[in-house]
Amino acid sequence: MTDLIKRLSEIPDVYDDFVLGVINYAKRSPEHIELLNCFMDDASVLETSDIIEFIIKQPDFHEYSATIQQKVG
């Protein structure tokens, strides 16, 4: 996770809430960390919006939404 945080922090247009949001998604599954690292490895130039778009397109993204969390909890 430390490596992912460092990599996210090096993105030119990074902001704190972005890093926190990505880490929140990543920590839900070791597979998420691997997916994010692979995505970042494959991209030559990254902006925060690229990573956000990638995460939103993941099949399990909506399983972690606040609405679903409230219904379950």
Side-chain angles (χ1 to χ4, degrees):
M1 184 70 74
T2 304
D3 182 51
L4 179 60
I5 293 170
K6 181 181 177 196
R7 293 181 76 185
L8 292 170
S9 298
E10 293 172 349
I11 296 172
D13 65 338
V14 70
Y15 52 98
D16 291 343
D17 288 340
F18 163 77
V19 174
L20 292 172
V22 173
I23 295 307
N24 187 45
Y25 176 75
K27 72 180 181 181
R28 300 205 181 252
S29 166
E31 183 180 283
H32 292 174
I33 297 169
E34 184 178 339
L35 284 170
L36 287 163
N37 277 318
C38 288
F39 176 74
M40 292 173 75
D41 287 343
D42 290 344
S44 59
V45 177
L46 275 176
E47 294 183 0
T48 56
S49 60
D50 300 322
I51 295 174
I52 292 169
E53 180 180 9
F54 174 76
I55 291 172
I56 289 171
K57 289 182 178 180
Q58 297 309 301
D60 65 349
F61 172 73
H62 296 287
E63 292 175 20
Y64 303 114
S65 73
T67 305
I68 291 172
Q69 293 288 333
Q70 289 174 0
K71 288 181 182 177
V72 174

